Amino acid sequence: MANTNQQKFPDVQGGGSLILAWQIKNKTVLVVGGGEVAAGRILNVLNADANVIVIVSSSLPISRRSLPPTLLPTWSSSPSTTRPPLPRSGKLCKEHHIPANIADVPSECDFYFGSVHRDGPLQIMVSTNGKGPRLAASIRKWIGNQLPAGVGNAIERIGELRVKLRKIVPDPADGPRRMRWMTKVSDAYSWDDMCALTDEDMDNLLIFYPSGKAPELQVLKAMRGGKVPEDLDVFDGSFGFSIGA
């Protein structure tokens, strides 16, 4: 007998990349090369709060101290050296199991730099798996233009609400319930409404967590100034009336 509650997943397509949010804060990233492509790579990793080492010109001496320790034995045996050919640097990374992106050689890349739309905490990456970087940039711009104004600020406010909720309900066992309530809250308000939530509004919103409800925005506004739900004269649709003959 078939399980009618089984979730339907999409068919496996294959040939794609596993797109992840890679946390590289305070990790060391080596960029070999210069020009516009290298500048874009450097900006990407700096935005992720990484420590960047840049090797730019073959005429510029490079101290062994500036290289990752795992590369020192095979890079050069002299106190300083010049930039090795790019294919050699990629080969060294593979030999030492260091993930690498080799510009213009997609087949040698362990990962790709997609075209990224950024709005505060929101990041949307478009990848063509190395087949059409220019097209990825055009698609990214189109997606960015479709998003509502203030979406980054709204996400920031929701993130602050999650932090507040975890402080008052820290037990990991309550995780599923927290997630269900946050989903309900996220679906209850428009982007503009979420951007306009004050710290007081979010504190008042947490009052409704035990009941599992997400109140209408007018209720939160009416609670400003220290009022509690019992003191409000706001119709929330929770009761009705009838007229008898």
Side-chain angles (χ1 to χ4, degrees):
M1 182 175 180
N3 183 1
T4 57
N5 294 323
Q6 186 175 3
Q7 183 176 354
K8 173 65 176 177
F9 289 97
D11 295 332
V12 175
Q13 297 185 42
S17 298
L18 181 61
I19 297 180
L20 303 171
W22 197 0
Q23 301 298 315
I24 58 172
K25 182 177 181 179
N26 296 327
K27 296 184 181 297
T28 299
V29 176
L30 175 66
V31 178
V32 181
E36 185 176 347
V37 173
R41 302 290 192 263
I42 293 168
L43 179 61
N44 282 330
V45 294
L46 286 176
N47 282 339
D49 299 322
N51 299 319
V52 187
I53 296 174
V54 183
I55 299 177
V56 180
S57 172
S58 59
S59 62
L60 180 66
I62 301 160
S63 169
R64 287 166 61 86
R65 294 180 181 179
S66 68
L67 297 175
T70 54
L71 292 184
L72 288 178
T74 54
W75 197 282
S76 173
S77 59
S78 61
S80 65
T81 185
T82 56
R83 177 178 64 84
L86 286 177
R88 177 59 178 158
S89 61
K91 182 179 179 181
L92 285 172
C93 287
K94 289 186 178 298
E95 289 175 356
H96 291 273
H97 307 290
I98 298 174
N101 171 271
I102 314 300
D104 297 327
V105 191
S107 61
E108 296 297 324
C109 293
D110 295 301
F111 61 90
Y112 303 114
F113 285 87
S115 186
V116 178
H117 172 82
R118 180 76 184 271
D119 184 353
L122 175 65
Q123 291 180 268
I124 300 175
M125 190 185 89
V126 177
S127 172
T128 59
N129 287 300
K131 296 182 183 297
R134 191 65 183 176
L135 292 177
S138 298
I139 295 170
R140 181 258 303 166
K141 290 179 181 178
W142 182 85
I143 291 174
N145 290 333
Q146 308 310 306
L147 295 172
V151 61
N153 290 332
I155 294 173
E156 195 74 58
R157 300 304 283 168
I158 287 295
E160 293 170 5
L161 181 63
R162 289 186 64 192
V163 171
K164 288 175 178 286
L165 178 59
R166 290 184 68 91
K167 286 182 178 179
I168 65 173
V169 192
D171 192 340
D174 290 318
R177 185 182 179 190
R178 287 196 305 263
M179 291 178 63
R180 287 194 297 270
W181 186 72
M182 286 300 307
T183 298
K184 187 174 295 186
V185 169
S186 299
D187 293 340
Y189 310 113
S190 68
W191 295 111
D192 290 339
D193 290 343
M194 284 188 278
C195 287
L197 290 177
T198 66
D199 289 336
E200 182 184 13
D201 290 337
M202 289 196 292
D203 289 338
N204 289 335
L205 184 55
L206 292 170
I207 296 175
F208 293 86
Y209 171 75
S211 68
K213 297 180 179 179
E216 294 184 5
L217 186 64
Q218 61 176 342
V219 173
L220 291 178
K221 289 183 177 180
M223 292 175 65
R224 292 173 182 174
K227 294 182 180 179
V228 295
E230 291 77 11
D231 297 335
L232 304 181
D233 185 18
V234 177
F235 174 67
D236 61 1
S238 60
F239 60 90
F241 64 92
S242 62
I243 301 177

